[in-house]
Structure formats: C-alpha cells, structure tokens
Amino acid sequence: MRMANKTAAEKLATIQQGYTLEGATIELGAAIVDGEVHKEAQVRLPLSMMNRHGLVAGATGTGKTVTLHMMAEQLSTAGVPVFLADIKGDLSGLATAATASEKLTARTVALGQDWSGRNFPVEFLALGGDGNGIPVRATVTSFGPILLSRIMELNDTQESSLQLIFHFADQKNLELLDLKDLRSVIQFLTSAEGKAELENLGGLSKATAGVILRELVGLEAQGLEKFFGEPEFDTAELLRTAPDGRGVISCLELPTLQTKPMLFSTFLMWLLADLFEELPEAGDLDKPKLVFFLDEAHLLFNGASKAFLEAITTTVRLIRSKGVGIFFVTQTPKDVPADVLGQLANRIQHALRAFTPEDAKALKATVSTFPVSDYDLEETLTSAGIGEAVITVMNERGAPTPVALTRLRAPESVMGPSSAELVRSTVASSALLVKYGTAVDNLSAYEKLSGKAAVPTGAAAPGLPPVPASTTAYDIDAEARRIEEEILGRPSSRPAPQAPPLEVPPAPAPEPRRAGTRSSGTQHDGGGLGDLTGALGGALGGGLKSMARSLGTQLGRELMRGIFGNSSRRRR
C-alpha cells in the first residue's frame, strides 16, 4: 500500500531515520526515491541482526548472486565466516581482486561507495570431491534416517522403517559409515539368517526393507556412494577466521547440481543440523558466528515430506540462538513454506516478472508480505533494474525498517569465476587437504558382517568382536535376485549365490573415544537438546509415532537424538 501526499523530502527523511543505526552494519546500497539515487540515504543491515535470518529473492538475472557476493565480502571483512553454495560457478571470484572500470567507478561514486579492488580468504569445497575443492563427506550415521529418506524419496512408512534399521545397527554396534554398510545391514535383515532379528524389530517388514534396499542400490548406481564415508567433514571448519582476522568464506562447488538437486539441498541441511547439534547456546551477539547462504532454496522444499519440512522449520527457528544466520536465496517468497518465511526478518527482494496469471498472483502475495510503505510495490517490483532491490530489515530494536528501493553496492572482488589455476593452487595449499583429501574405509558394518576386516580370528582385537574367517559378502547379484523375487514378485534368471550363515557380532565393551570420529550410538553430549523434545517430536512426525507404538517410548527417546535423527558427534 502506498502512503499518499508525501513529498520526496519526507520520503527520504523516513528512510534516513529508519536506517540510522548505532552498531556495526552491512552496507547494502543507496535508496532510490522518485526515480533518483540518494547517496545520503544509505540502506544497511545491522550485523547483530544477521542471525534473524533473511530472504534474497528475485527473478533469474536480477542480481541475486551479486547481492550475496557483496554481502559475503562485508561479512568476511567484519570477521564473520560465511558459507556459500557456488551453483553457477562464479562465486570463486571472491578470491580474486576486481579491477576498476569507468562504468564501475561511475556507479560506486553515485552510491557514495568507497570502492577498492580486494580479494578475500576463500576455502573451496566439493561434495565428495565432485569438483576441484576439498572433499566434503558425511557418514551415513551422522546423516541420519530422515535426511537419507529424503534423498531416496521414501514415503512415511518406509522412512519409519529406515529409522528402525538405524536403531538395529546402533544396538548391534554395526557402524554405518558408508552406503555399503547400510546395504549390508539391510541384506542381513532380509536374509534367512536375519529373520529372527527382523521379527524382533516389530515394525519393520521384509518387503519394506527390500524396497529400501532397492532404492539404496539405485543411489550406488548413480555414483552417490562417494558422498558418504570418512574422513567426515567437521562442520567446525566453517567457523574459521583467516590470520588477518577476516572470516573465511567457504565456497561449496556444485558442478553437477542439475543431476543431483536432491542430494545438494539435503546435504546443506545436514551441515546446518550438524552445526545445531555442535554449537553451544550463544544468545544475542554483536555479530553472528556464521552466515549460511542457501541458494536455489526451492530445491530444499519441493516434494518434501511433512516430517522433513517440520525438521527444517525447527532448525531455522532454533539455530538462531546458536549464533548462526541463514539466508534463503530463491526466485519468489512462495518457494519458501510460510512457517519458514515467517522467521526470515531480513528481506532483499529483487525484481519480479508478471508475464502470466501465476506470476501476477505471486507478485501480489509478495507485496502483501512487506510493511506499509511509500512505494507502489507492485509497480516497483516489476520495474526495478538489475542490481536494485526492495529492502526491509530488522533494526537493532527488533522492529522492521522502512521499505526502501535500493541500488546495491558493487562487489570488490571479481563477479565471475577465478582462474582454474588459482582455485587449484588454493586447494593444494589448504591445510584441510591433508585432513580430508583422501577417503578412508574404517572397520564398520560391512566388514563385520562380511568378515572382510583385517582382524585376526579367534580372540578379538582391542575393542573389536571376533570375526569368522569363512564369512563372505553378498554381492550385487544377490541383491538384485532377492529384490526381483521378493519385492517385484517375479522369478529371477540370476543364479542363487551360496552364502554362508551370518551372525551379528555382539556389542563390544565400551572403548576409549578416538579423536576425529563420530559415534554411531545414541549417546548425546547435551547441548540443550533435552529441552527441545516437544519440538523435535513434531519434527520427526508420524513415522516416529508409529514406531513408538511398536517399540515403546524408550526407543522413541533414543531415536530423537537429533532434529533429523542424526547421530551426535564425538568431540574432536
């Protein structure tokens, strides 16, 4: 709604007063009033309010990526670490100083921006080494059954069954580090040797376990097994600062996003969930510990189950108190569920298009989410230029600032990719390469069930159960045969494998914790999670309720060890 009968000077004064802030800020740009840029009316975002989360939205090509690029630079300068997902491949330019041009100088002078080309401390990451960055991996246990169900697109019943499988692995000391570990556990439960164990689980049917196995084999066929395993990425690496005090910008390279969108979005939620589990309560801070930019946010919510959406909402609501700010980057606010959108206090809305009736409906919905302003927002949002945005943020008193059409500041590093040579040399010189560069395959469920571990038979090695030398692994042919016959209901032409009996090893006595590993058990180191039981019960949804009916409240409590059912970390 537009307030009538205000002069340009009065509108300008409203903006100036609304963005006069006392503490440290992120400078966003200069206000545009009645078509003119006013560098005396600077639009800014309080650094202390960055953990109130935000939304950067707008149609394709309107400048969203440049906006988060510019914000990341200033956060780094303020000593705040930043996480970015580099979907288009052009955020690596943060590591290269930009050079001035006549056009750039004219823009920055008009904005009142004191511009100079600079590079910033960047750490290049890549999911499972799928790219040039430091490999980022997670163990299956820490990823948890809810997030894994999301990747495998399981329904609620299958998700509940997967949680039971995780519980079985926990109780039998079968570490789930990579996909072959989970596959081995399911193979055992669906085999004749595991029949008794399957029946003891109560709420898990052989048919459903077989369907999960089929989906798991499908993930492996797509090459996704390299994203799961060890060494697992310690999310505390995202909280580092450079020797000069600037925040490190962790840039996750995603060269194959289009072929693995579900994996991308779900892996980002694992990072957030893991941070939530690890970080202590921080309360209100002068600046956040980390700002997390979730680009292409619609991928996170498309087709998501109720349990998954509730878990995201819980994470966004509660991680603020840990000092972490999340900015969702997407095309329209309607890409974000209302329960999440309501928690995003800082809004940077680039231009929207209204070419279709659906576009027009989205435009009206977007306008309705802004405070009353001096702008005709429907007109403003459809006519804003590239590098301009309608902004309202939370001021230091926790109230929304006046809506301001803003011409945004220019980044000081390259708005495009850095050279491949620079990226390679940065990765090669990173201290993280030694820690995460080479995948390892430690003793876990696969080795224990298949007998392929390099452990002497007879007496157990320290902390490990005896392993019978005669046991061999079921191979992929055995999986396919069982799936075809028992799940798909048709005979298999594959020869039946001769598999020796399998015995689940007994749980060993507790062993001293090893640095650099995670627990597959259900113990938790605290961190205030007990106070969240009510919220997390909703996050786990109907799947957990059905399991509790079968297994009792004790199992229910054990499975609620993380917002997404993920395991807690052993402290490093």
Side-chain angles (χ1 to χ4, degrees), residues 253-520:
E253 184 182 6
L254 298 163
T256 59
L257 168 67
Q258 297 306 318
T259 60
K260 304 182 183 78
M262 193 74 76
L263 176 69
F264 150 72
S265 61
T266 310
F267 216 100
L268 295 189
M269 283 312 303
W270 169 76
L271 290 175
L272 281 175
D274 194 80
L275 282 167
F276 176 81
E277 291 296 311
E278 291 303 303
L279 290 175
E281 291 290 326
D284 293 325
L285 303 172
D286 291 336
K287 62 183 182 182
K289 294 181 179 179
L290 173 71
V291 174
F292 209 93
F293 288 94
L294 278 169
D295 205 353
E296 299 291 343
H298 67 279
L299 296 175
L300 195 62
F301 305 109
N302 287 349
S305 68
K306 181 180 179 182
F308 186 73
L309 290 176
E310 289 178 346
I312 292 174
T313 304
T314 302
T315 302
V316 173
R317 183 173 67 252
L318 299 178
I319 203 170
R320 179 188 70 79
S321 65
K322 305 294 185 86
V324 177
I326 307 171
F327 277 71
F328 293 86
V329 185
T330 190
Q331 293 197 9
T332 71
K334 70 182 181 64
D335 293 335
V336 181
D339 288 344
V340 176
L341 190 63
Q343 299 178 53
L344 310 183
N346 304 303
R347 301 282 299 279
I348 301 175
Q349 178 67 60
H350 288 262
L352 290 172
R353 308 298 180 222
F355 298 138
T356 68
E358 185 65 25
D359 292 340
K361 183 178 179 181
L363 174 61
K364 289 184 180 296
T366 299
V367 169
S368 69
T369 64
F370 279 89
V372 173
S373 76
D374 296 332
Y375 295 91
D376 180 339
L377 286 181
E378 284 196 30
E379 178 183 344
T380 301
L381 286 174
T382 53
S383 60
I386 297 173
E388 297 177 354
V390 173
I391 294 174
T392 180
V393 300
M394 183 177 285
N395 67 21
E396 293 160 324
R397 299 184 306 278
T401 58
V403 175
L405 176 62
T406 306
R407 185 160 295 170
L408 299 167
R409 292 165 67 97
E412 296 181 319
S413 55
V414 168
M415 291 184 286
S418 289
S419 68
E421 181 181 354
L422 176 62
V423 173
R424 285 194 296 268
S425 64
T426 301
V427 172
S429 62
S430 172
L432 300 186
L433 185 62
V434 175
K435 190 173 182 181
Y436 301 107
T438 303
V440 295
D441 190 7
N442 289 317
L443 179 73
S444 53
Y446 172 76
E447 288 81 11
K448 289 182 177 182
L449 289 172
S450 69
K452 289 193 173 183
V455 179
T457 57
L464 298 175
V467 180
S470 61
T471 306
T472 59
Y474 286 120
D475 56 18
I476 295 294
D477 285 340
E479 298 169 33
R481 187 176 191 278
R482 183 164 57 253
I483 290 169
E484 288 174 4
E485 293 184 346
E486 298 178 7
I487 309 305
L488 303 182
R490 59 172 178 258
S492 173
S493 58
R494 300 172 185 269
Q498 299 298 315
L502 288 175
E503 294 183 2
V504 179
E511 59 177 307
R513 290 185 173 185
R514 295 177 295 161
T517 63
R518 286 178 181 260
S519 169
S520 64

Side-chain angles (χ1 to χ4, degrees), residues 168 188-191 194-207 209:
F168 171 78
F188 173 75
L189 289 173
T190 55
S191 68
K195 182 178 180 180
E197 296 286 357
L198 185 71
E199 291 176 351
N200 289 337
L201 284 177
L204 176 64
S205 72
K206 187 174 185 178

Side-chain angles (χ1 to χ4, degrees), residues 73 92-100 115-120 411-415 418 422:
E73 290 181 346
S92 63
L94 283 156
T96 304
T99 56
W115 188 93
S116 62
R118 292 190 294 163
N119 63 335
F120 295 83
E412 296 181 319
S413 55
V414 168
M415 291 184 286
S418 289
L422 176 62

Side-chain angles (χ1 to χ4, degrees), residues 23 41 67 77 101 103 110 125 127 132 160 167 208 216 246 310 345 414 473 499 506 555-556 564:
T67 296
T77 301
S101 66
K103 181 179 180 181
L125 309 175
L127 283 186
N132 297 316
S160 297
H167 172 70
T208 301
L216 193 61
R246 291 185 295 170
E310 289 178 346
V414 168
L555 172 57
F564 290 95

Side-chain angles (χ1 to χ4, degrees), residues 72-83 120-123 238-250 287 289-290:
E73 290 181 346
Q74 294 189 57
L75 287 164
S76 175
T77 301
V80 178
V82 178
F83 175 88
F120 295 83
V122 179
E123 191 76 71
L238 303 179
L239 305 175
R240 294 177 300 134
T241 55
D244 61 5
R246 291 185 295 170
V248 171
I249 301 173
S250 299
K287 62 183 182 182
K289 294 181 179 179
L290 173 71

